Amino acid sequence: MPHKIGFVVVSSSGHEDGFSARELMIHAPTVSGWRSPRFCQFPQEIVLQMVERCRIRKLQLLAHQYMISSKIEFYISESLPEYFAPYQAERFRRLGYVSLCDNEKTGCKARELKSVYVDAVGQFLKLIFHQNHVNKYNIYNQVALVAINIIGDPADFSDESNTASREKLIDHYLGHSSEDPALEGSYARKSDYISPLDDLAFDMYQDPEVAQIIRKLDERKREAVQKERYDYAKKLKQAIADLQKVGERLGRYEVEKRCAVEKEDYDLAKEKKQQMEQYRAEVYEQLELHSLLDAELIRRPLDLPLQPLAHSVSPRHQKPSLPQLEEKVTESQFAEPFLQEKPSSYSLTISPQHSAVDQLLPATDPHPKMNAESLPYDERPLPAIRKHHGEAVVELEVSDANISIARRGGMSGEPEPLTEKALREASSAIDVLGETLVAGAYSKTWSYREDALLALYEKLMEIPVGTTKEDLKNTLRASIFLVRRAIKDIVTSVFQASLKLLKMIITQYIPKHKLIKLETAHCVERTIPVLLTRTGDSSARVRVTAANFIQEMALFKEVRSLQIIPSYLVQPLKANSSVHLAMSHMDLLARLLKDLGTGSSGFTVDNVMKFSVSALEHRVYEVRETAVRIILDMYRQHQASILEYLPPDDSNTRRNILYKTIFDGFAKIDGRPTDAEMKAQRKAAAEEAEKQKKEEIKALQGQLAALKEIQAEVEVGINTAFTYTQGGKAAPAEALGIPDEHYLDNLCIFCGERSESFTEEGLDLHYWKHCLMLTRCDHCKQVVEISSLTEHLLTECDKKDGFGKCYRCSEAVLKEELPRHIKNKGCNPAKPEKLANRCPLCHENFTPGEEAWKAHLMGPAGCTMNLRKTHVLQRAPALQPGRRSAVAASGLSGSKAGSKIPTPKGGLSKSSSRTHARR
C-alpha cells in the first residue's frame, strides 16, 4: 500500500537566507519552506534523496502564495549524479512537468496544493523551477516551495505486489480464492489506497506530536480490525477524528505564538504557550481515562523528530517544550471540549484528492487577537479549518464548565451544570424530569445528550399503568420538549435517538396509558415542523432519515386519523427555502399521496392541486419535475376535475414546456394521441394524399399514352368501316356526318357514349370513374371490364393467389371463405356460358351474348349492384355490330396506377398486356 516516503535534500541551486531547501524536510503548520535567491537565474533546481529505492505513486507540492514558478519539471534517477561531470546528466530521466496557477484570482492570498500522479522507480528526485509568475508582491522575481510530499512503495514491495496481483488474477479466473469475502471492497485490499494521514494537508494542519499519536492510533485500529475487536476499533476511530481537531487547534496556537514572538509581543506568546500546554495536558488526560494513551505514544520533543529524515533542523523551527506528563491538571476549561461532537461529522477542509487537480489553500488565517494582514504574505500562517472562520474564537479561559468527558460503558463524569438561560428555558421539564437528565440533554458533549435521551426512553417505558393522567400528560410534554430540541442536534446519533424516543411515545406510551388524541396531536404538531426542516439538512443521511421517519409517522394509526402531517405538506413552498428542503418536501408529498390517497387522509384534490400548480413556478428543476409527476398521478385518479386547476389547453399554454408535458401526459393516460403524435399523423396523412394524387396523375398520363397508341392502331383498321343505321343497313361513316378518320373521336368504345368532353384526358377520367361497363378491382386497383372481373381475379390480379373458384356459381371467392361459401350452398348456381352470362356484381344469370352485357349493366332493369349507374350519362349512338366488333377486336385497353383496361370481350388481349406497363 503506498505510504509517505521520507527524504533528505541533497543539493539546491541556491536559497535566500533563512529559507534553506532543508526546510522542505519538515511538515508542520509553521514551516516556511524553500525560497530561491533574489534576482536569481532560471531554472532553479533541488535534488532530493529518498530513504530507499522506491516506486513513486504521487507527488504533492504546496506552492507559495505569490512566489510562484510558472512550471516545475520532475526528473528521477537510480543513483546520485556527479554534477561536475555534465556528460552524466543523462542519469536523470524526465517524468514531465506541471504548470502552476498565477494566483491572480485570489489576489495572491492563497496557496496552491498540486497533486501529481506518477509511476516511476528511483531513489533521487530532481525538481527544476522555471521563471516565476510576475505580480506586484514578488518584487525580487523569486520562486518558492512551502512543502513537498512523496507517496510511494518500496521498489521491491512493488515488484512483489505486481507478482501477487498476477497470481490473484490467475486464481480468480481458475475459480480459486483464499481471500475473506467479508473484506471484499474494503480499503485493506486496495493496493493503491493512500491513507489520509499520509496526505500533505494532514501534516500542514496538525501539531507534529499529535500527528504522531494519530498515526499510532491508526495502526492500533487496523490491528484491532484484523483481530475483530470492533468495539475497540470504533473507540480508536472516534479518538482519531477528535484528535485531528485537537492537533489543528494546537497547530493554530503554535502559529499564533510564532507571530507574537516575531512582533515581540512576548506576553501574548507566553499566553499562547500556556494555552497549548494546558490544552495538551487535558487532552492527554482524557486519552489516559479511555486507556488510549501510554508512554509509547507520547515521546519527548527531543525523541520525536518532525520527519524521519530531518537530520538537520533549523533552530528557528524547534518546537517549544511540550507539557510534562507529571503535571496534574485540575478541572479547567478549553475552547472546544475534546470529543464533543461525533467524529462522523468531522472532515478536514483540504482532504486528499484522488485526481490531479489544483487546490488552493488559504494563506492567511485572521484572528481576533492579531492582524494577519499586516504580516508579509510569506509569513502569514496556514489556517486550521476554514469552517471555523464563521465561528467566534472562544477564549480558552472559560470558567465554571466541566471538561471531563464521560462515555457510556464505564466512563465516569457528570454533564456540566445548566446555564441560567437553560434553566429558564427548561424549567418545566426540570420540574418533571429532574435537573440531571435535562442537564445531560443540554450538555455540550454529544454523548451526554444521547445518554439523556436513552435514559428518558427507559424512564417512560417503566412508568406504571396506574399513574395519574395529569402526571402522564406532564411527563409527555416535558419529553416532547427535549425531543424537539434533540431533533435539531447536528450529531447524527443524537438525532436518531430523538426519533426513537418520539416513535415510542406515539406508538407505545400514549396507547399504553390511554391518553386522548389531543396528546398525540401535541406530539406531532410540536415535532413535525422541526422534522421537515431537517429534510433540508446538508447531510444526505440526515435528510433521508428525517423524510423516512415523517412518512412512517404519517402512517401510524394514531397519527393517520389526525390528518396533521398532510396539512403541513401542502403548504406552499417558501421562495427562500433551500434546494434540499424543497426537493425533500416534494418527494415526501409524492410518496405519502401514494400511501394515503385523497380520501379522508388530509389530502384533497383542491389542496394538492393548488400546491402542485404553485410548485410549477419553483426555481429548482427537480421540484417542478416532481410537481408534474404529482399532477399526472392525480389525473389518473380524478380525471376531469383536475383540469379546473390548470389553464386551458391551447397553443399559448403549450408554449410552456411544463404544461405541454402535463397535457401530453393527460392524453397518454386517456389513450389519446398526444399533440406531437397528432401532428405527425396529420403530416403523414397529407403526405399520403399527396402521394396518391401524384400516383393518380401519373397513372392517368400512362393510360392516356396507351389510349393514344391503341387509337392509332384502330384508325388504321376502320378506314373501310361502316356504321349501322336503325334499319340495320350499312352506310358510310359520312352518313352520320363524321369522317371515318374521326369516328372514334369523343367516343367510349365500351359503353358507346359520345361527348365533347371526351378528349384524351376526358376519356381517361371516364374510363377511370364513370363508364358503366368497367369497374376497379378492389384488390389491385386495376380497371377491368365487369364481364371479365371473375377471370381477372383468378388469373391476373396481384392477389390472385388468395382467390379460388366456386364450382357451383363459378365466381371468384377468397380462399379463406371458400370452404364456408361452398358449405352454406347459398350461392346462385351458374348456367353454362352458352346458355347465360353470369354477373360478378349481382350474381344473377341473364341472356347470353355480348350485347346482353350492355343491357344488363346499363339498362334501368339490369344490374342493381353496379354503383356507377347513379351517374347521369349521355348515351352515345350505339355502334353498328360490324363496326363495334372491329373496334373491339382492336384490343383497346387503358391503365391507371398499374391497372389494365381489358377489351369488351371479357379478356385482356395479349397485345394490350404487352403495350401497357404497370405502375
Side-chain angles (χ1 to χ4, degrees):
M1 184 174 69
H3 60 275
K4 194 167 188 173
I5 303 295
F7 63 87
V8 293
V9 177
V10 176
S11 66
S12 66
S13 53
H15 62 85
E16 185 179 357
D17 291 343
F19 298 93
S20 170
R22 292 185 178 274
E23 299 290 332
L24 297 175
M25 298 187 296
I26 305 170
H27 291 172
T30 57
V31 298
S32 299
W34 167 81
R35 187 178 298 178
S36 70
R38 297 180 177 182
F39 300 113
C40 62
Q41 294 183 350
F42 291 98
Q44 293 283 305
E45 69 175 44
I46 296 176
V47 178
L48 309 178
Q49 179 182 358
M50 288 161 280
V51 291
E52 58 184 334
R53 180 176 177 269
C54 65
R55 182 178 184 179
I56 302 177
R57 300 298 185 92
K58 181 178 179 181
L59 296 173
Q60 290 183 297
L61 306 175
L62 182 58
H64 196 268
Q65 59 266 29
Y66 62 84
M67 297 182 186
I68 307 170
S69 174
S70 59
K71 182 172 71 173
I72 302 177
E73 291 185 274
F74 301 94
Y75 293 80
I76 196 166
S77 176
E78 297 281 353
S79 59
L80 184 65
E82 298 178 7
Y83 289 98
F84 297 102
Y87 61 87
Q88 293 185 354
E90 69 272 11
R91 290 188 181 179
F92 275 105
R93 177 169 60 88
R94 187 175 185 271
L95 298 179
Y97 74 93
V98 293
S99 299
L100 299 179
C101 176
D102 58 13
N103 221 0
E104 290 182 358
K105 292 184 179 180
T106 66
C108 297
K109 294 182 180 180
R111 292 173 178 172
E112 183 179 9
L113 177 61
K114 178 76 76 172
S115 295
V116 184
Y117 288 83
V118 297
D119 189 357
V121 177
Q123 191 171 0
F124 294 89
L125 180 68
K126 180 166 68 173
L127 285 72
I128 296 183
F129 298 81
H130 290 264
Q131 184 69 42
N132 63 291
H133 286 294
V134 178
N135 56 66
K136 63 181 179 180
Y137 304 106
N138 192 2
I139 59 177
Y140 301 116
N141 292 333
Q142 294 171 276
V143 293
L145 184 64
V146 178
I148 180 172
N149 190 31
I150 303 174
I151 296 176
D153 298 319
D156 296 337
F157 176 79
S158 298
D159 296 339
E160 292 175 2
S161 205
N162 292 336
T163 304
S165 298
R166 288 194 295 269
E167 292 176 354
K168 288 182 179 180
L169 186 62
I170 293 172
D171 289 340
H172 172 73
Y173 281 102
L174 293 179
H176 306 299
S177 178
S178 59
E179 298 289 345
D180 184 358
L183 296 178
E184 187 68 33
S186 66
Y187 75 91
R189 296 195 58 192
K190 294 182 179 179
S191 60
D192 58 347
Y193 173 78
I194 299 175
S195 171
L197 304 183
D198 290 331
D199 195 87
L200 180 59
F202 175 77
D203 282 321
M204 296 305 291
Y205 280 102
Q206 289 289 328
D207 174 77
E209 182 174 319
V210 175
Q212 292 293 339
I213 295 175
I214 290 174
R215 289 190 172 96
K216 291 289 186 181
L217 292 180
D218 187 66
E219 292 177 6
R220 290 187 178 182
K221 183 187 70 175
R222 290 198 297 269
E223 292 175 0
V225 171
Q226 291 177 356
K227 296 178 181 179
E228 298 186 352
R229 298 176 60 193
Y230 298 122
D231 290 337
Y232 184 54
K234 179 180 178 181
K235 183 189 297 185
L236 289 170
K237 175 185 175 182
Q238 186 171 346
I240 289 172
D242 292 328
L243 273 174
Q244 287 179 338
K245 294 181 181 180
V246 173
E248 289 163 3
R249 179 166 289 277
L250 288 173
R252 186 164 69 249
Y253 290 160
E254 181 67 29
V255 171
E256 293 169 1
K257 184 183 71 174
R258 173 186 166 184
C259 292
V261 170
E262 291 180 352
K263 292 193 301 180
E264 297 185 353
D265 186 353
Y266 300 117
D267 291 335
L268 178 60
K270 179 180 178 181
E271 178 185 352
K272 292 299 177 183
K273 178 182 177 182
Q274 291 174 350
Q275 289 178 352
M276 291 176 62
E277 292 174 350
Q278 181 179 355
Y279 189 29
R280 194 187 304 273
E282 291 167 350
V283 169
Y284 290 167
E285 181 183 22
Q286 296 306 316
L287 289 175
E288 289 174 352
L289 284 176
H290 310 327
S291 302
L292 297 176
L293 187 67
D294 52 32
E296 178 187 353
L297 292 181
I298 302 181
R299 296 159 59 187
R300 306 298 347 122
L302 296 179
D303 300 329
L304 178 64
L306 295 179
Q307 286 296 327
L309 292 179
H311 301 302
S312 175
V313 180
S314 175
R316 63 194 300 270
H317 294 296
Q318 289 289 343
K319 267 181 357 82
S321 299
L322 296 180
Q324 298 295 325
L325 292 180
E326 294 78 17
E327 296 181 22
K328 300 298 181 182
V329 182
T330 59
E331 289 186 352
S332 57
Q333 294 74 35
F334 49 92
E336 295 177 359
F338 173 54
L339 298 178
Q340 269 195 1
E341 298 300 335
K342 196 169 182 68
S344 60
S345 63
Y346 175 83
S347 62
L348 281 174
T349 301
I350 303 298
S351 58
Q353 300 295 320
H354 297 286
S355 60
V357 297
D358 301 344
Q359 295 176 340
L360 294 179
L361 298 180
T364 61
D365 184 22
H367 192 277
K369 286 194 175 183
M370 57 189 303
N371 184 11
E373 296 295 335
S374 62
L375 299 175
Y377 277 98
D378 57 322
E379 298 298 332
R380 293 176 185 176
L382 284 169
I385 304 180
R386 297 304 296 177
K387 67 179 181 180
H388 291 328
H389 284 187
E391 303 175 1
V393 178
V394 185
E395 292 297 327
L396 296 186
E397 294 80 6
V398 182
S399 59
D400 300 329
N402 194 337
I403 62 147
S404 59
I405 310 276
R407 295 285 184 188
R408 297 186 304 276
M411 296 185 183
S412 61
E414 293 288 338
E416 61 271 20
L418 291 169
T419 62
E420 292 184 4
K421 178 182 177 182
L423 286 170
R424 290 193 301 269
E425 183 182 275
S427 58
S428 59
I430 293 172
D431 294 340
V432 177
L433 303 176
E435 185 174 352
T436 302
L437 192 148
V438 176
Y442 271 78
S443 174
K444 294 181 179 180
T445 304
W446 69 267
S447 59
Y448 284 138
R449 301 197 295 273
E450 184 180 7
D451 286 341
L453 294 176
L454 297 179
L456 180 56
Y457 184 97
E458 298 296 332
K459 182 175 182 178
L460 295 180
M461 291 293 290
E462 293 171 358
I463 294 178
V465 176
T467 308
T468 62
K469 297 295 182 182
E470 187 65 23
D471 291 341
L472 292 171
K473 175 181 174 181
N474 293 336
T475 302
L476 180 141
R477 302 212 167 197
S479 302
I480 291 299
F481 174 80
L482 296 182
V483 167
R484 177 183 169 86
R485 175 182 173 83
I487 289 175
K488 304 175 185 178
D489 204 295
I490 62 173
V491 181
T492 306
S493 61
V494 179
F495 172 65
Q496 291 176 339
S498 68
L499 300 184
K500 178 182 177 182
L501 178 57
L502 178 59
K503 180 178 180 180
M504 186 273 293
I505 291 174
I506 295 175
T507 60
Q508 298 181 43
Y509 180 83
I510 294 177
K512 174 182 176 181
H513 299 287
K514 298 179 181 180
L515 298 179
I516 60 177
K517 287 186 177 182
L518 183 62
E519 302 305 323
T520 305
H522 174 79
C523 296
V524 177
E525 289 177 346
R526 293 293 295 165
T527 56
I528 192 64
V530 190
L531 281 170
L532 286 172
T533 303
R534 293 312 299 270
T535 62
D537 196 90
S538 58
S539 169
R541 180 181 179 186
V542 173
R543 291 198 302 269
V544 172
T545 303
N548 289 341
F549 183 81
I550 293 174
Q551 183 181 11
E552 182 184 4
M553 183 168 65
L555 298 178
F556 292 159
K557 62 181 181 180
E558 297 83 5
V559 178
R560 185 169 185 169
S561 59
L562 299 175
Q563 302 181 9
I564 296 176
I565 295 178
S567 65
Y568 279 93
L569 292 179
V570 293
Q571 293 178 3
L573 296 172
K574 295 181 180 179
N576 59 349
S577 61
S578 68
V579 175
H580 291 312
L581 180 60
M583 291 171 57
S584 298
H585 194 143
M586 292 298 299
D587 181 66
L588 191 55
L589 173 62
R591 287 155 56 184
L592 280 179
L593 268 175
K594 292 182 179 179
D595 294 336
L596 300 176
T598 54
S600 302
S601 64
F603 289 125
T604 64
V605 175
D606 183 69
N607 61 26
V608 172
M609 284 304 301
K610 286 181 178 179
F611 173 83
S612 301
V613 172
S614 66
L616 292 176
E617 307 298 328
H618 200 273
R619 69 183 190 278
V620 180
Y621 167 75
E622 289 80 1
V623 172
R624 301 193 298 270
E625 189 178 47
T626 307
V628 170
R629 190 169 72 248
I630 292 174
I631 292 174
L632 293 178
D633 289 340
M634 293 293 290
Y635 185 81
R636 288 188 182 93
Q637 301 174 23
H638 305 283
Q639 298 292 326
S641 60
I642 302 301
L643 300 178
E644 300 175 3
Y645 301 90
L646 300 173
D649 183 7
D650 53 28
S651 57
N652 290 332
T653 304
R654 283 181 174 269
R655 290 178 183 174
N656 186 320
I657 188 63
L658 290 176
Y659 285 111
K660 181 179 183 299
T661 303
I662 289 172
F663 288 122
D664 286 345
F666 290 170
K668 290 181 179 179
I669 293 171
D670 294 338
R672 297 181 285 109
T674 63
D675 186 59
E677 292 172 347
M678 292 177 64
K679 289 181 179 179
Q681 290 176 2
R682 287 194 294 266
K683 182 178 179 181
E687 291 177 351
E688 183 64 24
E690 183 68 21
K691 181 179 178 181
Q692 290 180 358
K693 183 178 178 181
K694 290 180 179 179
E695 288 178 352
E696 287 184 4
I697 293 173
K698 189 172 182 179
L700 289 172
Q701 291 173 348
Q703 186 176 10
L704 180 61
L707 288 174
K708 287 182 178 179
E709 183 179 349
I710 296 173
Q711 186 176 9
E713 295 177 357
V714 172
E715 288 177 353
V716 173
I718 64 171
N719 289 332
T720 58
F722 296 93
T723 60
Y724 286 85
T725 62
Q726 293 181 354
K729 294 182 180 181
E734 290 79 359
L736 297 176
I738 302 174
D740 289 342
E741 62 271 15
H742 297 293
Y743 178 77
L744 292 179
D745 290 350
N746 308 117
L747 176 68
C748 173
I749 63 173
F750 296 102
C751 64
E753 180 181 357
R754 186 184 295 275
S755 173
E756 293 296 330
S757 64
F758 285 178
T759 59
E760 293 179 355
E761 293 81 1
L763 274 173
D764 203 15
L765 182 62
H766 173 74
Y767 294 149
W768 183 248
K769 292 186 176 181
H770 305 299
C771 183
L772 300 181
M773 301 296 291
L774 305 177
T775 188
R776 273 185 288 180
C777 175
D778 292 335
H779 303 282
C780 67
K781 306 305 179 184
Q782 291 184 8
V783 177
V784 297
E785 280 191 280
I786 296 174
S787 60
S788 63
L789 179 59
T790 299
E791 184 180 356
H792 167 77
L793 292 174
L794 294 174
T795 61
E796 296 177 350
C797 182
D798 292 342
K799 307 293 184 181
K800 63 183 179 182
D801 294 336
F803 288 93
K805 185 175 182 179
C806 174
Y807 70 90
R808 184 183 300 110
C809 62
S810 302
E811 291 187 24
V813 183
L814 290 172
K815 288 184 177 180
E816 57 266 23
E817 298 179 2
L818 184 59
R820 185 172 64 254
H821 174 84
I822 295 174
K823 184 178 180 180
N824 291 339
K825 298 180 180 180
C827 58
N828 185 21
K831 294 181 180 180
E833 187 175 355
K834 294 181 180 181
L835 299 179
N837 290 329
R838 176 76 176 187
C839 179
L841 301 181
C842 64
H843 313 297
E844 295 293 337
N845 300 316
F846 57 90
T847 307
E850 188 174 327
E851 293 298 327
W853 275 106
K854 186 173 181 180
H856 176 73
L857 294 175
M858 299 177 61
C863 182
T864 59
M865 302 301 294
N866 190 354
L867 301 180
R868 293 190 177 188
K869 287 177 76 172
T870 57
H871 298 283
V872 180
L873 301 174
Q874 293 180 351
R875 303 296 182 185
L879 290 174
Q880 297 180 6
R883 181 68 171 248
R884 178 171 175 78
S885 299
V887 173
S890 66
L892 179 62
S893 64
S895 65
K896 176 175 178 59
S899 54
K900 302 174 182 177
I901 301 178
T903 63
K905 292 182 179 180
L908 182 64
S909 66
K910 294 182 179 179
S911 61
S912 63
S913 297
R914 291 191 300 269
T915 303
H916 306 298
R918 297 176 62 184
R919 183 171 176 230

